[in-house]
Amino acid sequence: MGKESLKKRKGEDNKKEDGQSIQSQEPQTMNLQKEVGLISGICMIVGTIIGSGIFVSPKSVLANMGAVGPCLTIWAACGILATLGALCFAELGTMITKSGGEYPYLMEAFGPIPAFLFSWTSLLVTKPSSFAIICLSFAEYTLAPFYPSCDPPQVAIKCLAAAAIVIITIVNSLSVKLGSYLQNFLTAAKMIIVTIIIVSGIVLLAQGKTENFKDSFKGSSVSFGSIGLAFYNGLWAYDGWNQLNYITEELKNPYRNLPLSIIIGIPLVTVCYVLINISYFTVMTSTELLQSQAVAVTFGDRVLYSASWIVPLFVALSTIGAANGTCFTAGRLVYVAGREGHMLKLLSYISVKRLTPAPAIIFYGIITILYIIPGDIDTLINYFSFAVWIFYSLTVLALIVLRFTRKDLNRPVKIPILIPVAVTLASILLVLAPVISAPELAYLYCVLFISSGLIVYVLFVHFKFNWPQKISKPITMHLQMLLEVVPAEEVTE
């Protein structure tokens, strides 16, 4: 590739005038390719959302609500909130058709500082901790049959989780199609266990197993704090509802497929979650469910008998599918941040042969492995949930701001203004509820970490101290030859 055949991508070329959407205008030769269609988009949403949460810990919602009726109501309400939030993201994603999820939306609405703080927090806290949580859950379920009388050793769990991260990272670095096909397969596998649990529950209900639903609101403990914490735990199981916005540039016909994938995918997950919880309550009382270490396994033992081994097998496939979806989408955030100059230049490089952001995906995998070494699931969930809802609220607020500051932008999907207003208020309540009800130092540490990104921004983005780029230059040169990658803005004519 000669120098005379290279040209620079100009940032301002991404903004089309005359009322058009803000689009990625990189020439196709070295751009991320549009390989994800409607079916793959739905599978990406369903496969990323349905992970370990609904199988392992629905008892957290029940513990906060105190009764079956309010518990089922919270699961349905979480699905409605996730759907409304995703619709807000659909408008943003079809108006600003750039990969990177919240990053380009915050950049357009509020400027580079909030966008940088989002990428800073996401790359080093929320995304790798989410990936780590899912892989640790996968490892626990995979090893459980080999340690029937005790908990698996932590060393074995962490080694298996690290191996899963390495494999998923390699797959997504090699090919967009391979990662997408793997996601489709694993989504189909997890829908099998979802179907088994739901059908079993329907059969049990038809047989008259309804005693646990009588006086279903009796003994409930509903308060502002308990509702907020119940939403926190329920929405953790729904996390991933916005993942398709991270790969907008790789969607075929994003104006159609992005909103359709959301409208089909998230309500499908909501129905599945409510029916799965109903199935649990057909064989377990509230007390028994709260005492269960893994609710799906307990359900399988009581309903499937000798075939109960199916449950941990398919739950393991479910979690690895969620991990694959998380890696597939989060790698694009790293790539976009590098492309905008908010991270190392190397992270914006694209594989010449495979057209994947391989350095960004590899970097993301390495950070995730570092989280596995000292971390445990509960601590990671607390750290993750608080931080992520801060930026969800800012992103939906960005939609409201852009309605007034960028009226000229084309909006192929335009939702009623009441929806983003309601989602913004709900997000703010979700951020405040755990802090008010059960204050912990983890929340303070999270705020301090987010704020520390301001120092990094001032030094390395505003004043452009470029010694990290100089230090990484020899590494960049070696990796450029090893991985056969080139800068995203350098394309052949």
Side-chain angles (χ1 to χ4, degrees):
M1 188 187 303
K3 289 185 178 179
E4 65 277 2
S5 66
L6 301 179
K7 62 181 181 180
K8 296 288 184 180
R9 175 186 60 84
K10 296 180 181 179
E12 291 301 317
D13 289 345
N14 287 342
K15 296 183 179 180
K16 296 186 72 177
E17 302 298 333
D18 303 322
Q20 296 298 308
S21 300
I22 299 174
Q23 300 179 357
S24 175
Q25 295 295 315
E26 294 177 44
Q28 188 177 3
T29 311
M30 282 300 149
N31 198 12
L32 300 177
Q33 299 297 286
K34 295 182 179 297
E35 302 282 3
V36 183
L38 177 61
I39 299 299
S40 293
I42 295 171
C43 288
M44 184 65 65
I45 289 176
V46 175
T48 305
I49 292 177
I50 301 179
S52 60
I54 189 62
F55 303 119
V56 179
S57 56
K59 61 182 181 180
S60 300
V61 176
L62 178 62
N64 283 291
M65 300 312 295
V68 174
C71 175
L72 295 176
T73 303
I74 288 292
W75 280 104
C78 286
I80 293 171
L81 180 58
T83 302
L84 294 178
L87 288 174
C88 295
F89 274 62
E91 178 174 330
L92 287 165
T94 54
M95 178 175 59
I96 304 173
T97 57
K98 294 181 181 180
S99 294
E102 293 92 326
Y103 184 91
Y105 315 145
L106 293 171
M107 175 75 79
E108 185 65 28
F110 303 122
I113 293 179
F116 176 84
L117 292 179
F118 167 75
S119 63
W120 166 257
T121 306
S122 295
L123 297 184
L124 299 180
V125 178
T126 59
K127 296 302 178 185
S129 65
S130 176
F131 195 9
I133 292 165
I134 296 169
C135 289
L136 286 169
S137 299
F138 159 77
E140 286 187 356
Y141 258 87
T142 303
L143 292 173
F146 299 97
Y147 297 88
S149 59
C150 62
D151 294 332
Q154 285 298 308
V155 172
I157 290 174
K158 292 182 178 183
C159 287
L160 182 57
I165 291 168
V166 171
I167 293 171
I168 291 170
T169 299
I170 291 173
V171 167
N172 283 279
S173 298
L174 288 177
S175 170
V176 172
K177 279 188 176 180
L178 183 59
S180 183
Y181 289 156
L182 177 62
Q183 188 66 32
N184 294 353
F185 169 76
L186 293 172
T187 299
K190 73 177 62 182
M191 292 311 293
I192 292 175
I193 189 60
V194 166
T195 303
I196 290 173
I197 294 174
I198 290 174
V199 171
S200 299
I202 292 172
V203 171
L204 291 169
L205 286 174
Q207 293 174 347
K209 299 286 186 180
T210 59
E211 56 270 17
N212 292 334
F213 299 97
K214 295 177 181 178
D215 298 323
S216 59
F217 284 83
K218 185 178 180 180
S220 60
S221 55
V222 178
S223 65
F224 172 74
S226 65
I227 291 175
L229 292 172
F231 263 97
Y232 241 37
N233 289 286
L235 286 167
W236 159 247
Y238 280 96
D239 191 69
W241 52 265
N242 64 329
Q243 292 299 291
L244 213 56
N245 289 68
Y246 284 86
I247 57 169
T248 305
E249 291 176 33
E250 293 162 88
L251 278 175
K252 299 175 183 177
N253 191 5
Y255 300 131
R256 171 182 176 271
N257 290 337
L258 178 58
L260 271 181
S261 297
I262 290 168
I263 292 170
I264 296 171
I266 300 178
L268 175 62
V269 172
T270 304
V271 172
C272 289
Y273 276 10
V274 173
L275 291 176
I276 288 171
N277 275 276
I278 290 173
S279 297
Y280 291 155
F281 286 118
T282 59
V283 297
M284 284 177 276
T285 65
S286 296
T287 302
E288 289 172 333
L289 192 145
L290 289 172
Q291 292 175 345
S292 173
Q293 292 299 314
V295 180
V297 172
T298 303
F299 179 88
D301 290 340
R302 296 189 180 188
V303 175
L304 302 178
Y305 303 108
S306 60
S308 61
W309 58 269
I310 291 175
V311 175
L313 171 64
F314 278 92
V315 170
L317 291 175
S318 174
T319 52
I320 205 70
N324 180 72
T326 301
C327 180
F328 189 96
T329 56
R332 274 61 183 174
L333 171 62
V334 182
Y335 158 77
V336 172
R339 188 175 67 185
E340 297 293 338
H342 286 181
M343 291 292 159
L344 291 175
K345 185 71 172 176
L346 172 63
L347 300 181
S348 69
Y349 282 31
I350 295 176
S351 172
V352 176
K353 292 183 178 180
R354 301 176 179 87
L355 296 174
T356 61
I361 294 173
I362 293 170
F363 172 83
Y364 175 62
I366 292 171
I367 295 295
T368 303
I369 289 176
L370 295 178
Y371 266 85
I372 282 178
I373 296 171
D376 65 88
I377 292 177
D378 292 336
T379 301
L380 289 174
I381 287 176
N382 289 339
Y383 206 37
F384 166 86
S385 299
F386 179 74
V388 77
W389 277 99
I390 292 175
F391 289 102
Y392 283 163
S393 62
L394 280 176
T395 305
V396 179
L397 180 61
L399 173 58
I400 300 172
V401 170
L402 289 172
R403 285 283 184 94
F404 297 97
T405 60
R406 296 300 306 274
K407 295 180 180 180
D408 59 308
L409 291 178
N410 181 37
R411 291 171 168 83
V413 175
K414 188 172 182 179
I415 60 175
I417 192 67
L418 289 176
I419 293 178
V421 170
V423 174
T424 301
L425 293 175
S427 301
I428 293 171
L429 290 175
L430 283 170
V431 171
L432 296 177
V435 176
I436 295 172
S437 302
E440 295 181 9
L441 284 176
Y443 303 135
L444 176 61
Y445 296 151
C446 189
V447 172
L448 291 176
F449 180 85
I450 295 173
S451 301
S452 69
L454 291 171
I455 301 173
V456 178
Y457 178 85
V458 169
L459 293 178
F460 301 111
V461 179
H462 182 72
F463 289 113
K464 301 186 184 300
F465 289 178
N466 62 353
W467 57 264
Q469 304 286 1
K470 291 180 179 179
I471 293 175
S472 65
K473 191 172 182 179
I475 300 174
T476 300
M477 294 176 63
H478 287 295
L479 288 178
Q480 193 168 358
M481 292 185 291
L482 179 64
L483 300 177
E484 296 183 306
V485 293
V486 296
E489 71 269 18
E490 295 183 358
V491 296
T492 56
E493 293 181 337

